[in-house]
């Protein structure tokens, strides 16, 4: 689901009315694009699929400095919005004609923090021609690790990946194709440059303040990463490449960043004393504005983590997006692993979760076309919500649906965008009791009610069907739907033999009536119940 960047009637990137229609010339379907709307720069990478492999054919980069335009109240100032929209228009021109399922556009740290940015992001999506997904820091880290594997090859030994973004820094330790530990830290080249060097002056006192702040961010994870250890450290992002280029000018072998080279660069910056006087031949003026913040962060990382050499790498988040689009089953595997870990963490009743999920999908398949929600992604999200609907019991039975909503809203769910995560949390929150939509907790439902409310209704019915917690298959029930109407047809005498189920269905019909839905039900050959 791409947050509010599409027709309000739906949730999914594949349903975006602003996306260009695929070209039937057999050529466009060979191309894939990954777009990263970062806090410092917007990036686009275009690749062509050749013999099951991706070949990069074009790159675009626009220095937008989105993070610098984020005000204290969480809003993005108009000047920055103008720059962002201009960049989005240029990206949209380059992407014109690509199939919607061959393009992924993601927003990171600044767009995670931005408030009341829906209209702005609607305009960005319209300009690019594809919806925007806001992803969590953990999801960003996972995709960065995948992007490094795409560029350098899958790690043959344990690999540390360090990515300095404009607003956040991602730290990933992995082995082979799989991350073992991931962290997203609240420090970036834009935020640190503006916070500690606001007027451009580079002093030893300010440097020390910035370095201490970075070490404090790193401190909680240092022992974990040092304990796991690594054989190769890789640095991604524009900041790392800029440092590598400057050090290469000064004799660094193969652009590798060493403690000695970094210490020398730090001293040079202190001697220069002002950002406006930076004059390294390979350092562009737009990168110079945030260069110092990146160097400070890397100095702190070298000291805190004990990094001895850092190899620069061009691959990062956008390459990870490309690689995952060609192998979408990997993303599904990641989602399944995430759900599995949550079920384990919160000691969920797996049999109950599975049978509720099976029944929810059984109902979905019967009415999806009638309700206009016939989409694979919606089907998957309903199944995940069903599996996770009881995790709040780990906190307390009283209000467990609210506890589940909180856990899912505030956790990092690898493989899911923030909006998909919000949808799952909303379904869990509303799967029982009164169906009342109010407040920001249910904002995703209020925005996309035509797509989400049917999923909520289906989940509620599936949960109700298995309230007795007897592990058995659902009955041969026929579910038919109309415009906010649905009818459950049970086998002969089935309901009369289950008075508690009938009472629950009557109560559910009352709950649904409050949201404009009419539920009727009955056993075959009997007069159906109707409020």
């Amino acid at each position: 689901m791409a947050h509010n960047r599409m027709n309000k009637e739906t949730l999914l990137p594949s349903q975006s009315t602003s996306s260009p229609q695929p070209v039937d010339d057999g050529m466009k379907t060979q191309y894939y694009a990954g777009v990263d709307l970062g806090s410092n720069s917007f990036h686009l990478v275009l690749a062509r699929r050749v013999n099951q492999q991706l070949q990069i054919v074009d790159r675009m980069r626009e220095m937008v400095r989105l993070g610098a335009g984020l005000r204290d109240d969480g809003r993005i100032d108009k000047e920055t919005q103008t720059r962002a929209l201009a960049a989005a228009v240029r990206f949209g021109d380059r992407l014109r004609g690509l199939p919607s399922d061959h393009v992924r556009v993601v927003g990171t740290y600044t767009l995670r923090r931005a408030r009341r940015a829906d209209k702005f992001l609607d305009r960005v999506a319209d300009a690019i021609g594809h919806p925007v997904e806001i992803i969590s820091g953990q999801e960003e880290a996972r995709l960065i690790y995948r992007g490094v594997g795409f560029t350098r090859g899958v790690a043959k030994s344990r690999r540390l990946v360090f990515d300095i973004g404009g607003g956040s820094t991602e730290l990933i330790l992995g082995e082979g194709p799989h991350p073992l530990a991931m962290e997203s830290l609240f420090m970036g080249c834009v935020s640190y440059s503006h916070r500690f060097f606001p007027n451009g002056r580079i002093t030893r006192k300010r440097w020390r303040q910035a370095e201490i702040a970075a070490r404090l961010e790193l401190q909680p994870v240092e022992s974990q990463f040092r304990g796991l250890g690594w054989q190769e450290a890789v640095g991604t992002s524009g900041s790392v490449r800029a440092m590598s280029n400057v050090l290469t000018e000064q004799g660094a072998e193969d652009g590798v960043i060493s403690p000695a080279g970094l210490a020398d660069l730090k001293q040079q910056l202190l001697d220069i004393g002002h950002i406006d006087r930076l004059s390294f031949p390979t350092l562009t003026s737009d990168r110079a504005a945030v260069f110092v913040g990146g160097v400070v962060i890397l100095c702190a990382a070298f000291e805190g983590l004990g990094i001895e050499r850092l190899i620069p790498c061009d691959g990062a988040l956008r390459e990870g997006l490309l690689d995952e689009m060609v192998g979408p089953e990997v993303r599904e595997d990641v989602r399944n692993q995430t759900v599995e870990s949550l079920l384990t963490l919160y000691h969920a009743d797996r049999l109950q979760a599975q049978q509720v999920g099976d029944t929810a999908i059984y109902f979905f398949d019967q009415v999806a076309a009638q309700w206009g929600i016939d989409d694979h992604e919606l089907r998957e999200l309903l199944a995940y919500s069903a599996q996770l609907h009881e995790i709040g019991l780990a906190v307390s039975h009283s209000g467990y649906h609210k506890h589940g909503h909180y856990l899912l809203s505030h956790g990092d769910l690898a493989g899911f965008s923030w909006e998909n995560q919000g949808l799952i949390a909303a379904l869990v929150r509303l799967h029982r009791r009164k169906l009342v939509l109010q407040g920001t907790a249910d904002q995703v439902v209020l925005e996309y009610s035509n797509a989400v409310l049917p999923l909520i209704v289906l989940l509620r019915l599936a949960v109700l069907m298995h309230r007795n917690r007897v592990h058995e298959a659902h009955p041969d029930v026929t579910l038919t739907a109309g415009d906010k109407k649905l009818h459950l047809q049970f086998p002969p005498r089935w309901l009369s033999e289950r008075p508690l189920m009938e009472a629950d269905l009557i109560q559910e019909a009352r709950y649904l009536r409050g949201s404009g839905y009419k539920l009727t039900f009955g056993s075959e050959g009997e007069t159906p119940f109707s409020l």
Side-chain angles (χ1 to χ4, degrees):
M1 168 179 145
H3 173 45
N4 199 21
R5 267 19 99 209
M6 63 200 69
N7 188 333
K8 301 285 181 163
E9 302 300 309
T10 186
L11 291 161
L12 306 171
S14 60
Q15 304 267 319
S16 172
T17 57
S18 61
S19 296
Q21 294 299 310
V23 176
D24 291 328
D25 61 5
M27 294 297 295
K28 290 295 185 180
T29 55
Q30 300 175 17
Y31 290 90
Y32 293 79
V35 180
D36 167 15
L37 307 181
S39 297
N40 192 42
S41 305
F42 285 6
H43 292 267
L44 182 155
V45 177
L46 185 69
R48 179 172 175 251
R49 189 170 186 172
V50 182
N51 297 326
Q52 306 306 311
Q53 299 293 321
L54 284 179
Q55 179 185 67
I56 302 294
V57 297
D58 198 8
R59 294 180 184 271
M60 290 180 66
R61 171 178 170 270
E62 296 278 349
M63 184 66 78
V64 175
R65 294 184 193 165
L66 201 64
L70 189 66
R71 304 185 321 204
D72 291 341
D73 62 2
R75 300 189 183 189
I76 300 171
D77 65 43
K78 290 185 178 180
E79 181 180 351
T80 304
Q81 288 191 33
T82 299
R83 287 199 305 271
L85 287 168
V89 168
R90 289 188 282 273
F91 281 11
D93 185 52
R94 188 67 186 87
L95 296 173
R96 185 173 294 115
L98 287 187
S100 58
D101 59 348
H102 284 213
V103 180
R104 276 190 75 187
V105 184
V106 300
T108 57
Y109 178 77
T110 296
L111 293 178
R112 288 196 290 268
R113 291 186 58 204
R115 298 178 182 174
R116 298 183 182 179
D118 286 351
K119 290 182 180 179
F120 164 63
L121 285 172
D122 283 340
R123 295 170 67 193
V124 170
D126 287 341
I128 293 178
H130 296 272
V132 179
E133 299 176 60
I134 310 301
I135 58 174
S136 70
Q138 290 277 312
E139 179 68 354
E140 183 179 356
R142 183 185 71 82
L143 289 166
I144 288 168
Y145 184 79
R146 187 176 176 91
V148 171
F150 172 80
T151 305
R152 288 185 58 83
V154 174
K156 296 179 180 179
S157 57
R158 196 161 290 178
R159 173 183 284 168
L160 174 72
V161 175
F162 195 81
D163 182 280
I164 305 172
S168 65
T169 291
E170 277 60 52
L171 190 60
I172 312 103
L173 191 65
E175 194 167 351
H178 304 298
L180 301 173
M182 300 184 293
E183 293 292 339
S184 182
L185 306 175
F186 297 114
M187 55 185 186
C189 62
V190 174
S191 58
Y192 267 48
S193 294
H194 285 265
R195 177 180 169 188
F196 295 103
F197 311 98
N199 58 4
R201 292 182 60 227
I202 309 170
T203 66
R204 194 168 296 277
K205 180 179 179 180
R206 292 182 179 186
W207 189 287
R208 185 60 180 159
Q209 290 173 338
E211 202 163 5
I212 289 173
R215 284 299 308 277
L216 288 172
E217 282 292 326
L218 285 160
Q219 191 176 51
V221 303
E222 287 175 359
S223 61
Q224 178 191 14
F225 278 79
R226 278 179 175 267
L228 289 169
W230 59 86
Q231 285 72 52
E232 177 187 63
V234 176
T236 68
S237 77
S239 287
V240 170
R241 288 194 299 274
M243 286 179 254
S244 173
N245 290 338
V246 170
L247 291 173
T248 298
E249 294 169 12
Q250 301 174 2
E253 184 178 352
D254 297 328
V256 173
I257 302 173
S258 66
L262 201 55
D264 186 53
L265 181 57
K266 170 184 173 179
Q267 188 57 55
Q268 291 180 62
L269 293 173
L270 289 170
D271 291 342
I272 292 170
H274 201 284
I275 289 173
D276 291 344
R277 294 198 289 269
L278 297 181
S279 58
F280 301 111
T282 60
L283 188 66
T284 61
S285 58
D286 52 7
R287 175 57 61 181
V290 297
F291 185 67
V292 179
V295 176
V296 168
I297 290 171
L298 197 58
C299 285
F302 265 62
E303 181 181 352
L305 297 171
I307 299 173
E308 296 179 356
R309 66 194 305 268
L310 190 74
I311 304 167
C313 175
D314 289 334
L317 172 59
R318 46 220 172 257
E319 286 78 13
L321 292 170
L322 282 176
D323 196 34
E324 196 159 80
M325 274 187 285
V326 175
E329 70 284 350
V330 176
R331 188 183 188 196
E332 186 172 332
D333 287 344
V334 170
R335 288 178 165 189
N336 290 337
Q337 291 169 17
T338 296
V339 172
E340 179 68 21
S341 66
L342 290 171
L343 292 173
T344 300
L345 179 62
Y346 297 114
H347 308 288
D349 183 337
R350 292 171 182 272
L351 288 175
Q352 179 72 1
Q354 186 60 54
Q355 67 179 4
V356 169
D358 290 344
T359 300
I361 295 305
Y362 175 70
F363 285 159
F364 179 93
D365 290 341
Q366 292 187 62
V367 301
Q370 299 169 50
W371 269 348
I373 55 172
D374 192 5
D375 187 284
H376 177 71
E377 178 83 346
L378 286 178
R379 190 176 187 271
E380 270 199 346
L381 294 174
L382 174 61
Y384 291 134
S385 303
Q387 291 181 65
L388 297 170
H389 78 281
E390 286 190 335
I391 64 170
L393 286 171
V395 179
S396 170
H397 179 270
S398 177
Y400 75 84
H401 54 304
K402 298 178 183 178
H403 302 316
H405 175 269
Y406 181 87
L407 294 172
L408 292 169
S409 295
H410 293 83
D412 282 312
L413 273 59
F416 296 92
S417 70
W418 269 28
E419 288 74 26
N420 282 337
Q421 185 172 336
L423 168 63
I424 291 172
L427 262 64
V428 169
R429 166 69 177 80
L430 296 167
H431 83 265
R432 64 193 292 261
R433 305 296 189 192
K434 291 183 179 180
L435 183 51
V436 179
L437 307 180
Q438 59 184 8
T440 56
D442 300 321
Q443 185 62 36
V444 64
V445 186
L446 293 171
E447 278 189 32
Y448 303 104
S449 58
N450 286 355
V452 181
L453 273 172
L455 299 186
I456 293 171
V457 172
L458 296 177
L459 178 58
R460 291 173 68 94
L461 291 176
V463 170
L464 188 151
M465 292 297 298
H466 297 283
R467 189 177 176 187
N468 62 3
R469 308 190 76 84
V470 175
H471 296 147
E472 60 184 11
H474 56 74
D476 186 17
V477 183
T478 301
L479 182 63
T480 53
D483 183 19
K484 289 200 171 184
K485 295 179 182 179
L486 64 163
H487 177 74
L488 279 166
Q489 185 73 40
F490 294 94
R493 297 182 301 282
W494 195 89
L495 272 180
S496 61
E497 296 171 358
R498 295 167 176 80
L500 291 180
M501 174 69 70
E502 186 171 21
D504 282 340
L505 285 168
I506 292 171
Q507 180 61 66
E508 183 63 21
R510 293 193 178 104
Y511 284 149
L512 293 181
R513 184 173 61 178
S515 295
Y517 279 81
K518 181 178 178 61
L519 170 65
T520 59
F521 59 87
S523 293
E524 186 179 338
E526 300 175 6
T527 302
F529 171 86
S530 176
L531 284 179

